[in-house]
Amino acid sequence: MTNWLPTLQDSSAPIYLRLADSIESDIDSGALPAGEKLPPQRNLAYDIGVTIGTVGRAYSLLRERGLVSGEVGRGTYVLNRDTRTPVRTEPPLTSTRGGTRFFESVPGKLRFDSTAAPNVGQGKVIEGLLAAITREQPDDVASYTRTFPSSWFDAGSKWLSRNGFQPAPESIVPTLGAHSAVIAVISALTSPGDHILFEHVTYSQLARSAGLIGRRLALVQSDEHGVDPDDFERVCAQRHPVMAFLMPTAQNPTGAIMPAERRMAIAKVAKKYNVLLIEDDLYGALTEDQTPLLAEYAPERTFVVGGLSKSVAAGVRGGWVSCPANFRHGIRTAHKMVTGGMPFLLAELCARLVLSGEATAIRSRSLAEINARLALAHAALEGQSYSGNANVPFLWLSLPEPWHSGTFKNAAYEQGVMIDDEDEFKSGRSDRIYHRVRIGVSASRNRDDVVTGLAVIRRLLDEGGAGYDSFG
C-alpha cells in the first residue's frame, strides 16, 4: 500500500484511537481490502506527523479488535472479514479508561505486566482457613455483613504498621484491596469537579477511576527522588487540589524513594493549602526502607493504604486504610457505597491470615522468590539502565535508541511477552516522554518463564535498530 493515508477526524479522543478508528473505517469500506499490508509504523508516523509509539498503539488496538495481524519482519496485514474475530461492541472511548493493558489475560503469553504476589504455596494455607471459617461461622458466610468484628480492625492496624507508624485499630477501615480503599477516600471527601493531584506517571488506574466519577486531575512533576516539593506547591496554588495521591516509598513504576526532607516539605505545603494526602504504601511495605511514612509528618490529613496483593495473595482482595480522626465512618460508608460492601468470607480470611502470622510467613516466602527473580533480571539486563528496589517486583527499564515505549511493548508482545509501556502509567495528558517500560517479575508461573521472558526482552534490546525496523 503506497498511496493510502488515513483521515483523522477532529475529536478530543487520543490520536492513536482516532487513527485506529480511521483504519477500521477504511477496512469496512473496502479502501483497505483483506490481505492489504499497512504501512510500516515509521513511514506512517512520518506521513501523518505523529510519533511511532502512537502508530504502534493504534496497530495494537486494531489487533485487539480482530481487524489485522502482525508478524515481526513481515508487517501488519488486514485480515479477511470472514476469518477475523468479531469487533467489540462497546464505545471506542471505553477502552481508553482501562489503560493500555488487555482487559483479559491473553493465553500463551508470558506475564511481565503484573506485580501480584508469586505463587509460593499460599493456596494450601488459604484452603485451610476458608474451611475453618465456613465450618465455624456458616451463618455469617451465608448472610450480608452487618457487623465488623474487632479482629478485622486489629488485622489492619498490624498490617499497616511500619517503622514508627502504628495506626490505632479504631482508625482502620477494612477494604476490598488498596484500589477500593483509595476510591472510597476520594468518593467520601471530594466532590465532582474537584481536582485530585497525581504524579505524571503513577498507578494511573486510580486517576482513571477518579475521572470516571467526575473528579478532575492535576499533575505534579517528579524526579528520581519522588515528587518535587516546589512543583507540588505551584500546583496547589494554581489548581487548588482537594487531595493528592502519593507513593513516597517504592513509587510505581519508577521505584523512587522520597527522602525525609521532601516528605516534611510535602507535609508543610499540604497543611498550608489544606490538601488531604493519600499515602499508598503497598510497595513501600515490601521494602526495608527506614524513612518515616508521610503520615508521620501530617497525621491529621494523611490516609495510609496497604494490602495483601503484592506479598500474600492478590486474589483474596485484602486491604485496609488508616484514617485520621473523625474520617473513619465516612470512609467506611463510602466504601460500602462504591463496592457493595465487604464480603464476610474475604474480610474474615484476611484478618485470620494476618493475626495468625500466616500472612507474615507467606510474605517472607514471597519476598525470597521476588528477590530470586530480580537476581535473574539483573543478570539478564546487565549493562542496561533501569531502576528498582530489593523486594519490589518490578524494574523501570530505560530503552536505548531507537526504541519508543509503545513500540517496544508491541515488539515484546509479538514475541510472546506482555510488559507495560509508559502510557499505562500516565495519569493524564502529559508532554513528558520517558522512553521506558515496566518489567514485572512476580506474575510469571515459575523462574523458567522468567528466564525465557527476560531473554526475549534482552534480545530486543540488543537488536536495537534491526529489531525496531523489523517490527515497523
Side-chain angles (χ1 to χ4, degrees):
M1 172 63 65
T2 57
N3 299 321
W4 172 86
L5 284 177
T7 301
L8 300 182
Q9 300 296 323
D10 289 333
S11 166
S12 61
I15 295 176
Y16 83 91
L17 184 60
R18 286 186 278 150
L19 175 57
D21 287 342
S22 175
I23 296 173
E24 178 176 348
S25 177
D26 285 347
I27 291 173
D28 288 338
S29 70
L32 288 173
E36 190 68 62
K37 181 180 181 181
L38 296 184
Q41 294 181 27
R42 175 183 291 178
N43 295 1
L44 184 56
Y46 177 84
D47 288 338
I48 64 176
V50 300
T51 67
I52 298 175
T54 295
V55 177
R57 290 187 67 184
Y59 280 22
S60 179
L61 184 56
L62 290 168
R63 283 194 293 273
E64 289 184 50
R65 296 178 181 179
L67 298 173
V68 301
S69 66
E71 298 179 25
V72 177
R74 295 191 63 241
T76 302
Y77 292 83
V78 177
L79 289 174
N80 187 293
R81 185 182 299 270
D82 296 328
T83 60
R84 68 185 188 224
T85 56
V87 177
R88 73 193 192 305
T89 58
E90 69 267 28
L93 277 176
T94 303
S95 63
T96 68
R97 290 177 178 158
T100 63
R101 292 175 182 160
F102 290 97
F103 189 73
E104 295 182 358
S105 179
V106 179
K109 302 290 184 181
L110 298 178
R111 297 295 305 276
F112 285 71
D113 62 339
S114 172
T115 53
N119 183 356
V120 291
Q122 56 267 68
K124 286 293 183 182
V125 175
I126 293 171
E127 178 186 22
L129 290 174
L130 287 174
I133 294 169
T134 55
R135 182 178 62 252
E136 297 165 9
Q137 298 174 274
D139 291 340
D140 293 314
V141 172
S143 186
Y144 294 109
T145 304
R146 300 300 187 192
T147 59
F148 283 26
S150 61
S151 59
W152 294 5
F153 308 116
D154 294 337
S157 174
K158 180 178 180 179
W159 195 253
L160 294 182
S161 293
R162 189 167 75 83
N163 297 348
F165 179 70
Q166 294 182 323
E170 56 267 24
S171 76
I172 299 296
V173 175
T175 64
L176 278 168
H179 182 109
S180 67
V182 174
I183 296 304
V185 174
I186 291 175
S187 300
L189 302 177
T190 68
S191 301
D194 285 345
H195 280 102
I196 312 294
L197 185 147
F198 291 89
E199 295 174 74
H200 280 256
V201 290
T202 186
Y203 175 54
S204 61
Q205 293 283 346
L206 288 170
R208 298 184 187 112
S209 297
L212 192 63
I213 58 174
R215 276 55 170 179
R216 294 185 292 171
L217 309 182
L219 301 183
V220 63
Q221 301 283 356
S222 305
D223 58 22
E224 68 274 17
H225 301 298
V227 172
D228 179 346
D230 292 334
D231 197 57
F232 183 75
E233 180 158 20
R234 177 191 65 80
V235 176
C236 289
Q238 294 181 359
R239 306 294 293 276
H240 308 292
V242 176
M243 186 175 289
F245 172 79
L246 304 172
M247 305 179 78
T249 308
Q251 199 266 4
N252 179 27
T254 69
I257 295 178
M258 190 185 297
E261 57 271 19
R262 283 207 181 188
R263 301 184 192 213
M264 287 187 282
I266 293 295
K268 182 177 180 180
V269 173
K271 292 175 184 178
K272 178 180 178 180
Y273 293 94
N274 196 28
V275 178
L276 297 171
L277 303 173
I278 299 176
E279 181 172 14
D280 185 338
D281 199 43
L282 196 58
Y283 290 105
L286 303 183
T287 71
E288 298 178 358
D289 179 70
Q290 297 300 307
T291 309
L293 270 65
L294 184 60
E296 291 288 288
Y297 302 107
E300 80 289 349
R301 65 184 60 253
T302 306
F303 299 81
V304 178
V305 172
L308 304 179
S309 61
K310 308 305 177 186
S311 59
V312 179
V316 302
R317 306 305 300 151
W320 298 270
V321 55
S322 169
C323 308
N326 304 320
F327 286 112
R328 177 193 179 193
H329 180 73
I331 303 306
R332 183 170 163 180
T333 300
H335 183 265
K336 181 178 180 180
M337 294 299 101
V338 298
T339 66
M342 285 296 296
F344 177 87
L345 188 62
L346 292 183
E348 180 67 13
L349 170 64
C350 293
R352 292 194 185 198
L353 278 167
V354 171
L355 296 178
S356 68
E358 292 287 4
T360 299
I362 294 170
R363 180 181 184 274
S364 295
R365 299 200 300 273
S366 292
L367 294 184
E369 180 63 24
I370 287 169
N371 285 323
R373 295 181 180 200
L374 286 173
L376 296 174
H378 296 324
L381 300 175
E382 184 178 4
Q384 300 296 316
S385 176
Y386 57 86
S387 58
N389 299 282
N391 297 348
V392 179
F394 63 80
L395 299 174
W396 186 229
L397 175 65
S398 180
L399 299 174
E401 291 285 355
W403 287 110
H404 293 267
S405 179
T407 311
F408 190 86
K409 172 184 176 177
N410 291 338
Y413 176 84
E414 295 295 339
Q415 294 292 314
V417 178
M418 299 177 70
I419 61 176
D420 284 318
D421 61 1
E422 64 189 48
D423 285 348
E424 171 59 30
F425 302 98
K426 287 186 176 178
S427 300
R429 286 189 174 184
S430 174
D431 58 1
R432 298 199 64 178
I433 299 175
Y434 301 86
H435 300 304
R436 286 178 178 262
V437 294
R438 195 193 74 169
I439 309 296
V441 299
S442 59
S444 296
R445 294 172 300 174
N446 51 54
R447 295 183 196 177
D448 288 342
D449 281 355
V450 173
V451 170
T452 300
L454 289 169
V456 170
I457 293 168
R458 182 64 198 231
R459 184 167 65 250
L460 289 171
L461 293 170
D462 289 343
E463 286 175 352
Y468 182 89
D469 289 337
S470 66
F471 184 69

